[in-house]
């Protein structure tokens, strides 16, 4: 009923930039919190950044000052601008959103399939 599709990942050299997108589609009534998570090989999935509403944001300490999360509520799309990338930023980046499906009262957590980000040194 709801899909989250990430795009924008790829291979980049250290110091470079990438912009990730996450587009939500389907029977969307409203979207509350949206966030980006990442998982490196052999490690647990970790929060990268979250945005609540239009402007309330929170970042992992490791990405503060380098990454910027934003969203376009009209397009049901979230973005992650990643600058000054480091090899330790390498991982599979997942989109997460709390979505209320049309006709429902409750918000449910949904995940995308992930987009790979690889930063070479």
């Amino acid at each position: 009923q709801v899909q989250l599709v990430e795009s924008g990942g790829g291979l980049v050299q250290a110091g470079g930039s990438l912009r990730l997108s996450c587009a939500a589609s389907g029977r969307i009534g409203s979207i509350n919190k949206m966030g980006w998570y990442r998982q490196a090989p052999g490690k647990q999935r970790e929060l990268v950044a979250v945005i609540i509403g239009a402007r309330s944001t929170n970042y992992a300490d490791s990405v503060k000052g380098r990454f910027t999360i934003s969203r376009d509520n009209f397009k049901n799309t979230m973005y992650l601008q990643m600058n000054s990338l480091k090899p330790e930023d390498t991982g599979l980046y997942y989109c997460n959103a709390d979505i209320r499906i049309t006709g429902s009262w409750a918000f449910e957590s949904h995940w995308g399939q992930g987009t790979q980000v690889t930063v070479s040194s």
Side-chain angles (χ1 to χ4, degrees), residues 28-89:
I28 297 173
S30 59
I31 302 176
N32 188 14
K33 181 181 64 175
M34 301 186 78
W36 289 98
Y37 292 74
R38 68 187 179 191
Q39 187 166 18
K43 294 188 177 181
Q44 290 187 334
R45 190 176 300 187
E46 64 175 357
L47 174 67
V48 176
V50 62
I51 183 166
I52 301 173
R55 299 182 180 181
S56 178
T57 60
N58 194 26
Y59 296 90
D61 288 342
S62 60
V63 307
K64 283 181 180 177
R66 301 187 297 122
F67 291 10
T68 301
I69 189 172
S70 61
R71 63 192 283 181
D72 183 332
N73 290 327
F74 292 104
K75 296 181 179 179
N76 288 330
T77 300
M78 174 178 63
Y79 306 95
L80 185 68
Q81 178 66 44
M82 305 186 294
N83 298 328
S84 302
L85 282 161
K86 304 175 180 180
E88 51 262 44
D89 294 318

Side-chain angles (χ1 to χ4, degrees), residues 90-113:
T90 294
L92 191 58
Y93 282 68
Y94 295 92
C95 168
N96 173 260
D98 292 341
I99 299 174
R100 181 181 62 80
I101 296 174
T102 303
S104 171
W105 289 100
F107 284 87
E108 295 180 347
S109 180
H110 295 266
W111 291 89
Q113 293 299 308

